Amino acid sequence: MPDLRFDPLRQEWVAYATERNDRTFLPTAFCPLCPTGAAGASEVPLDTFEVVVFENRFPAFGPDRRKGRPVRPPTTGCEVVVYTPEHEHTLAQLPAERVRLLVDVWADRYRELGSRAEVAYVYIFENKGEEVGVTLHHPHGQIYALPFIPPFAEAELDASREHFVREGQCLHCRELALEASGPRMVLSESSMVAFVPRAARWPYEVHVYPRRHATSIADLDEAERWDLARALLGVTGAYDRHFGFSTPYVMAVHQAPTDGRDWPQAHLHFEFYPPHRREDRLKYLAGVELGAGTFVNDTRPEDTAEQLRRSARRTARMAGKS
């Protein structure tokens, strides 16, 4: 059974899920996320699909298990979101219509999971590539319905709340106004902006924001959802073009908690953390990052933003020709 323990020194929760040691690891002969038909043995017993969501067989949080499989919990839990039946595709290679549908799926799961009594935060994310610990290559993301607000999101919310009280303005909105047309901007899709943050921790870190103050993905209107889909394709495509290969990354979605309180200081955004600092070198977390909590970045955000901006423009031109 997954177990949560609270660290009183760091004031944060730690999850223990020993059964995850037995989860499927980089299979070569069989993919658990490929459609296998009604009689198939995969997690997706369908002939085909667009986007599929199901409970994680090896959850890090929450659900009870029955006969070795997770039972959908009444409150917290973990879900897998499979983006496409195509095993070799990545998010960057999906058609805009599929990514637009994926945005709707994320919004639906945010509302559904967030409505559960003990879910304080709906954390949507994707791990892509063996370099960040992926155990299945089939394109997919995950959603954790957490019984607490995770520390990174909580730190952002606290800082934004303090700024809101002091200045009467969202801190994210202020930063967005500075970045939207500045030297760290990567691309713009009407209502969405992508940029390398001024204090980026990872060399090619990119944040994607709606220009409008939307607290969650469920708040986005039709046009904004289309723009978000195109922005996500633009960012992931820029990574691939810049590095010259399918780029590993972690994608994290930060948005309003679902604990029943008002969070006017929350501002939806996507954060991308690619582990590469060059085509042939990775950024590893070492003594000062892990032991002291202070990131050391070998690149300047203005320089990496310029590189990604060029790649994003080339990607957009190539997409326009196809």
Side-chain angles (χ1 to χ4, degrees):
M1 286 292 295
D3 179 27
L4 278 175
R5 298 182 185 181
F6 188 72
D7 182 344
L9 297 178
R10 295 191 178 186
Q11 292 290 293
E12 64 184 23
W13 290 96
V14 179
Y16 298 85
T18 58
E19 289 173 324
R20 289 173 57 81
N21 267 320
D22 299 323
R23 67 188 186 274
T24 307
F25 183 78
L26 300 176
T28 57
F30 172 75
C31 172
L33 303 185
C34 282
T36 52
S42 80
E43 298 288 340
V44 190
L46 303 169
D47 292 327
T48 189
F49 60 89
E50 292 179 304
V51 176
V52 164
V53 180
F54 58 86
E55 281 291 342
N56 195 328
R57 184 191 286 261
F58 300 98
F61 297 90
D64 296 329
R65 300 176 75 84
R66 183 180 302 155
K67 295 182 179 179
R69 297 184 63 87
V71 179
R72 177 170 292 277
T75 52
T76 58
C78 302
E79 294 184 341
V80 176
V81 183
V82 187
Y83 298 165
T84 172
E86 302 294 332
H87 181 82
E88 301 297 333
H89 280 192
T90 66
L91 177 62
Q93 297 169 320
L94 296 179
E97 294 78 11
R98 179 62 53 83
V99 184
R100 171 65 182 80
L101 175 61
L102 183 58
V103 173
D104 280 346
V105 171
W106 286 330
D108 173 79
R109 303 317 300 153
Y110 173 83
R111 285 190 298 262
E112 166 62 24
L113 294 170
S115 69
R116 299 180 183 180
E118 295 182 14
V119 174
Y121 200 88
V122 178
Y123 178 53
I124 300 167
F125 66 100
E126 179 191 355
N127 298 326
K128 179 196 171 195
E130 293 180 37
E131 293 82 350
V132 299
V134 157
T135 58
L136 295 174
H137 284 300
H138 195 113
H140 70 287
Q142 299 182 66
I143 305 176
Y144 283 5
L146 301 174
F148 56 87
I149 301 172
F152 287 173
E154 188 171 40
E156 289 181 354
L157 291 163
D158 289 346
S160 189
R161 181 183 63 248
E162 292 174 6
H163 184 83
F164 193 87
V165 170
R166 186 173 62 250
E167 305 291 341
Q169 179 195 30
C170 166
L171 179 58
H172 296 275
C173 289
R174 189 198 71 174
E175 293 296 300
L176 181 57
L178 294 172
E179 301 289 3
S181 58
R184 292 176 293 272
M185 196 270 286
V186 173
L187 62 84
S188 175
E189 284 288 348
S190 298
S191 64
M192 297 287 156
V193 177
F195 57 88
V196 177
R198 176 176 49 179
R201 297 169 302 164
W202 297 90
Y204 289 87
E205 181 174 342
V206 169
H207 294 187
V208 180
Y209 273 83
R211 295 180 187 271
R212 183 174 65 87
H213 183 82
T215 61
S216 77
I217 196 167
D219 292 339
L220 298 181
D221 62 27
E222 179 77 10
E224 289 169 329
R225 295 185 184 200
W226 273 109
D227 289 341
L228 174 58
R230 286 187 281 264
L232 296 178
L233 286 170
V235 169
T236 53
Y239 282 146
D240 290 356
R241 182 166 293 275
H242 171 73
F243 286 110
F245 50 78
S246 184
T247 307
Y249 58 74
V250 171
M251 179 189 75
V253 183
H254 291 183
Q255 54 191 326
T258 58
D259 60 354
R261 292 182 286 171
D262 291 330
W263 295 92
Q265 75 271 32
H267 193 136
L268 166 72
H269 60 285
F270 285 63
E271 299 186 0
F272 284 86
Y273 323 127
H276 280 85
R277 54 190 175 94
R278 289 188 357 188
E279 293 88 344
D280 59 344
R281 296 183 185 177
L282 296 172
K283 163 65 178 177
Y284 291 102
L285 301 189
V288 71
E289 290 93 358
L290 294 174
T294 299
F295 270 70
V296 177
N297 194 334
D298 298 337
T299 62
R300 294 177 67 250
E302 293 75 17
D303 296 336
T304 53
E306 182 181 3
Q307 296 164 24
L308 290 175
R309 189 162 55 245
R310 289 198 301 265
S311 294
R313 288 169 178 166
R314 289 197 296 268
T315 300
R317 285 197 297 268
M318 293 302 295
K321 293 178 182 180
S322 61

